[in-house]
């Protein structure tokens, strides 16, 4: 990302020591039309869509905000909710180049602590024109110097798929109320498994439900048609941030974000040429570049290299999270039955990175955040979208890439991998057993599925037997595209005990009720 300013400061500790902080600006690779003249007038700037934080580790975090006009982003950080002894960090100038969004990068934070931050905006003409503050909270990860028994436990939630299949923000039903249930768990962070927006899913003001009721959506101009321009893709993210539940959740729970297909267009792959009448721009590569720009502008993501979304988030000695990008490096959706194909989801560079990082990880648990499931068949018309294709025999097509990764992990004694995903719009627990698999050169592992957040409910899907997947729990709606009003919306919770290092997964419903619990003991 384009870091427009690099400044250093100090965060006061109770002992009087100073910890270094590093800040930087937001990202933008090309110019786009900015706001109208009304937004550029004099007066105090205003934060338009709350605050977000993300990619929090033991010592670092990202804070995001958006202004209603060009302004300087200021972030105060403190151990105290009353912000006594707070340190103010000068962030970037928010300009129309990034749709008035920006990120401040914090370094040198104290590990294993709850910290409070608040964002203000300072006018560029008169520094005394300062916005009202918006506060947030982060918990930094335990430090790696402390053993698992000397730190604290970890709790996080995951899910995906927001405002899909025509189901947007419905104030009559409480809006995106699943975020209230997720917030009640008091997680350290939220792992978003993709489809945070549905750029290809226009909304109607009303939808007739099967029981005769009427679903009523809030609709904005950008949500009235498919997104094709940078401005329209930005509008997809702004739409979701209209929901008060989501804004409150964002302020208190940092996000680890990955994308999937609907941030751009359904089931897309690089090089695809669309045959859809609603799109005047048929080149998916052009659409994906615009969507990627909006995504980086509107999410609290920090990358090791500009434009690269896959990354590892270290969350202390108990946990490393490996955020995959199974969209940017896909091959074309076909029958997925090639006997010799060696890539198709991750690509050579990402696969090599993942193997290297898994092998060098010292964390007890390695969570693989995948935006597509491994064993579930995910069709794209008559073609195949995911790794599996329904042939229960030896690996074919994209399954080769998964088989290679799993056998590598076994060979190099990479223990305690757990796969988390969403995508299929129901919730399930899958156990992958080499004794029941056509390909058996891997250690057994679990994959947990949860979602959607606020989208149509579907499923259940069929499992492919190549890797010996067995469903241990499944809950899905009775028919396709059930609305959130019918309750089939799901999220998952992961809790890692600080003393025993036991990892417990709870699959929860829209109201936070636990549907299934699975406790996993680590292999040493």
């Amino acid at each position: 990302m384009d870091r427009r300013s690099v400044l250093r400061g100090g965060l006061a500790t109770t002992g009087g020591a100073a910890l270094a902080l590093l800040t930087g600006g937001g990202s933008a690779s090309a110019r786009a039309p900015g706001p109208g003249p009304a937004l550029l007038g004099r007066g105090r700037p205003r934060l338009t869509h709350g605050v977000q934080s993300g990619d929090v580790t033991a010592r670092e975090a990202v804070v995001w905000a958006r202004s209603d006009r060009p302004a300087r982003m200021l972030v105060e950080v403190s151990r105290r909710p009353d912000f006594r002894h707070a340190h103010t960090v000068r962030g970037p100038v928010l300009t129309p180049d990034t749709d008035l969004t920006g990120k401040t990068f914090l370094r040198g934070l104290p590990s294993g602590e709850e910290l409070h931050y608040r964002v203000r905006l300072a006018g560029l003409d008169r520094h005394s024109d300062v916005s009202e503050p918006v506060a947030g909270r982060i918990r930094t990860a335990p430090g790696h110097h402390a053993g698992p028994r000397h730190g604290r436990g970890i709790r996080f939630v995951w899910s995906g798929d927001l405002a899909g299949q025509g189901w947007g923000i419905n104030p009559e039903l409480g809006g995106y109320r699943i975020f209230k249930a997720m917030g009640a768990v008091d997680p350290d962070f939220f792992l978003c498994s993709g489809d945070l927006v549905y750029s290809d899913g226009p909304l109607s003001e009303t939808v007739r439900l099967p029981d005769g009721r009427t679903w009523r959506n809030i609709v904005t101009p950008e949500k009235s048609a498919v997104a094709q321009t940078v401005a329209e893709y930005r509008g997809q993210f702004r739409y979701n941030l209209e929901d008060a539940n989501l804004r409150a959740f964002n302020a208190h729970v940092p996000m680890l974000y990955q994308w999937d297909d609907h941030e751009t267009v359904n089931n897309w792959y690089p090089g695809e040429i669309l045959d859809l009448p609603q799109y005047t721009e048929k080149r998916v590569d052009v659409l994906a570049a615009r969507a990627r720009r909006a995504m980086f502008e509107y999410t609290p993501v920090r990358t090791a290299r500009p434009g690269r979304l896959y990354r590892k988030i270290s969350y202390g000695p108990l946990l490393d999270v490996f955020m995959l990008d199974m969209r940017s490096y896909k091959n074309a959706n076909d029958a997925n039955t090639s006997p010799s194909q060696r890539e198709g989801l991750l690509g050579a560079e990402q696969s090599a990175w993942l193997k290297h990082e898994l092998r060098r990880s010292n964390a007890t648990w390695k969570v693989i955040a995948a935006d597509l499931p491994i064993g579930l068949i995910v069709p794209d018309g008559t073609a195949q979208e995911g790794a599996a294709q329904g042939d229960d025999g030896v690996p074919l097509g994209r399954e080769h890439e998964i088989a290679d990764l799993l056998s590598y992990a076994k060979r190099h004694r990479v223990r305690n991998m757990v796969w988390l995903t969403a995508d299929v719009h129901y919730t399930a627990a899958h156990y992958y057993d080499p004794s029941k698999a056509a390909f058996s050169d891997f250690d057994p592992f679990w994959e947990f599925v949860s979602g959607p957040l606020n989208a149509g409910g579907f499923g259940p899907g069929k499992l492919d037997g190549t890797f010996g997947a067995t469903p241990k729990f499944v809950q899905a709606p009775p028919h396709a595209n059930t609305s959130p009003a019918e309750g089939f919306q799901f999220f998952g919770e992961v809790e890692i005990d600080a003393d025993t290092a036991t990892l417990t997964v709870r699959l929860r419903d829209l109201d936070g009720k636990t549907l299934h619990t699975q406790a996993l003991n680590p292999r040493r």
Side-chain angles (χ1 to χ4, degrees):
M1 288 180 285
D2 176 23
R3 298 187 184 178
R4 296 181 178 169
S5 61
V6 178
L7 304 169
R8 290 188 179 274
L11 175 61
T13 70
T14 54
L19 298 174
L21 288 161
L22 178 70
T23 70
S27 61
S29 57
R31 293 188 175 272
L39 291 182
L40 304 180
R42 295 179 61 84
R44 299 174 66 186
R46 181 177 62 87
L47 288 155
T48 61
H49 292 87
V51 294
Q52 300 181 69
S53 64
D55 285 13
V56 175
T57 64
R59 307 281 286 177
E60 301 178 348
V62 177
V63 175
W64 174 97
R66 182 177 185 269
S67 177
D68 68 342
R69 68 195 70 199
R72 167 77 67 180
M73 184 177 175
L74 305 172
V75 181
E76 295 176 84
V77 186
S78 175
R79 283 187 166 92
R80 298 169 54 112
D82 62 5
F83 288 91
R84 289 188 63 186
H85 310 301
H87 176 80
T88 299
V89 180
R90 281 168 55 88
V93 173
L94 312 186
T95 73
D97 286 351
T98 57
D99 201 31
L100 300 169
T101 66
K103 307 173 192 180
T104 297
F105 299 90
L106 308 179
R107 284 183 178 171
L109 300 173
S111 62
E113 293 198 28
E114 181 168 293
L115 301 175
H116 301 269
Y117 70 89
R118 61 186 178 190
V119 178
R120 298 177 189 266
L121 302 172
L124 301 182
D125 295 330
R126 294 192 305 175
H127 297 311
S128 59
D129 291 337
V130 179
S131 72
E132 291 294 321
V134 176
R137 182 195 71 178
I138 61 175
R139 291 194 188 111
T140 54
H144 278 276
H145 61 276
R149 293 180 178 273
H150 300 286
R152 60 174 172 82
I154 298 169
R155 180 184 289 112
F156 68 92
V157 293
W158 92 92
S159 188
D161 306 288
L162 188 61
Q165 290 74 48
W167 313 112
I169 302 170
N170 184 345
E172 294 180 356
L173 294 181
Y176 294 155
R177 62 189 182 94
I178 195 169
F179 288 100
K180 283 187 176 180
M182 291 199 299
V185 173
D186 194 23
D188 295 310
F189 60 86
F190 166 49
L191 169 57
C192 178
S193 300
D195 294 339
L196 180 60
V197 299
Y198 271 71
S199 298
D200 56 348
L203 298 176
S204 302
E205 290 186 358
T206 61
V207 182
R208 180 66 64 180
L209 298 175
D211 61 5
R213 290 181 296 166
T214 298
W215 177 280
R216 301 184 188 279
N217 285 314
I218 293 176
V219 180
T220 63
E222 292 89 351
K223 290 300 294 183
S224 299
V226 298
Q228 300 186 71
T229 67
V230 172
E232 290 165 348
Y233 280 112
R234 289 166 169 167
Q236 309 303 307
F237 290 91
R238 286 199 306 272
Y239 174 81
N240 283 339
L241 292 173
E242 293 295 323
D243 182 76
N245 298 318
L246 177 55
R247 291 198 307 273
F249 182 81
N250 285 343
H252 288 87
V253 182
M255 178 167 62
L256 309 185
Y257 170 74
Q258 64 187 158
W259 74 347
D260 193 28
D261 56 333
H262 291 287
E263 281 87 351
T264 305
V265 63
N266 185 46
N267 293 348
W268 73 274
Y269 52 84
E272 183 181 7
I273 304 297
L274 296 178
D275 184 20
L276 298 172
Q278 62 267 45
Y279 284 88
T280 56
E281 175 56 73
K282 306 293 186 180
R283 298 167 295 174
V284 166
D285 287 354
V286 174
L287 296 174
R290 294 168 180 171
R292 180 185 293 269
R293 175 177 173 180
M295 175 267 293
F296 275 112
E297 290 173 344
Y298 273 88
T299 57
V301 169
R302 181 181 182 185
T303 63
R305 195 172 68 208
R308 195 184 87 177
L309 195 54
Y310 64 84
R311 62 207 188 278
K312 182 184 78 171
I313 306 296
S314 295
Y315 208 83
L318 289 172
L319 176 66
D320 279 344
V321 183
F322 298 85
M323 308 290 295
L324 303 187
D325 180 357
M326 305 173 87
R327 188 58 50 184
S328 301
Y329 312 98
K330 277 181 97 268
N331 64 345
N333 292 342
D334 55 17
N336 194 30
T337 55
S338 169
S340 57
Q341 177 182 316
R342 289 295 178 265
E343 298 175 13
L345 284 178
L346 302 177
E349 182 179 298
Q350 185 176 191
S351 292
W353 165 85
L354 180 57
K355 290 176 182 177
H356 176 263
E357 293 297 334
L358 282 170
R359 187 174 179 181
R360 69 191 292 264
S361 172
N362 293 319
T364 304
W365 291 98
K366 291 87 173 168
V367 164
I368 313 297
D371 46 293
L372 283 167
I374 298 174
L376 281 170
I377 302 165
V378 185
D380 178 22
T382 59
Q384 297 298 329
E385 158 79 346
Q389 73 293 93
D391 184 317
D392 295 335
V394 298
L396 298 172
R398 301 184 188 111
E399 290 174 333
H400 284 292
E401 201 170 36
I402 303 300
D404 178 60
L405 174 64
L406 295 178
S407 62
Y408 177 92
K410 177 183 178 180
R411 187 164 63 252
H412 294 283
R413 300 178 183 176
V414 177
R415 308 300 190 199
N416 308 319
M417 285 197 303
V418 176
W419 292 65
L420 302 181
T421 190
D423 187 66
V424 290
H425 296 230
Y426 68 95
T427 191
H430 303 147
Y431 182 64
Y432 287 78
D433 187 349
S435 69
K436 298 180 179 179
F439 175 86
S440 59
D441 186 24
F442 65 93
D443 292 325
F445 66 96
W446 286 84
E447 174 189 59
F448 297 94
V449 182
S450 204
L453 289 162
N454 191 98
F458 291 86
K462 181 184 176 183
L463 279 168
D464 188 296
T466 297
F467 301 113
T470 302
K472 298 298 185 179
F473 173 81
V474 175
Q475 183 153 325
H479 57 84
N481 199 19
T482 58
S483 79
E486 297 176 70
F488 291 91
Q489 312 289 293
F490 307 101
F491 70 95
E493 173 200 352
V494 175
E495 183 177 11
I496 306 176
D497 185 87
D499 294 325
T500 65
T502 298
L503 183 148
T504 301
V505 177
R506 298 180 184 92
L507 302 179
R508 296 178 178 266
D509 68 7
L510 176 62
D511 297 312
K513 178 184 175 182
T514 299
L515 307 172
H516 178 75
T517 301
Q518 187 69 52
L520 307 178
N521 294 317
R523 294 180 63 190
R524 302 296 182 181

